[in-house]
Amino acid sequence: MAVAKKDQERIAYAWMYGVQARKDGKERVVPKYWHEYADAWQQGFDGTPLVGTDKPKRVSDAMEAEVDEAGVSKS
């Protein structure tokens, strides 16, 4: 099912606000503003990946070597 771009953005924002609510120690109660996107809000609160998104990619060993402590410290 295709979802309009604005709806995708609102779903992503609802998910992010759910994540932030958990971090802030709030209850798992969807605010009135997000009721239309309650599923996404609750997925964010529960730490569930947003539906339709890829899993985060692992940082490669080469990248880790590039940004190790010596690579980012001032000379």
Side-chain angles (χ1 to χ4, degrees), residues 13-26:
Y13 277 114
W15 185 86
M16 288 188 294
Y17 274 84
V19 170
Q20 190 60 48
R22 185 187 71 233
K23 288 180 181 178
D24 292 343
K26 299 195 176 175

Side-chain angles (χ1 to χ4, degrees), residues 25 33 42 49 60 64:
Y33 183 81
Q42 290 176 341
S60 70
E64 287 182 21

Side-chain angles (χ1 to χ4, degrees), residues 6 18 26-27 38 41 44 48 57 60 62 64-66 70-72 75:
K6 280 195 172 196
K26 299 195 176 175
E27 292 183 39
W41 192 95
T48 307
K57 295 180 182 175
S60 70
E64 287 182 21
E66 289 176 20
V72 294
S75 299

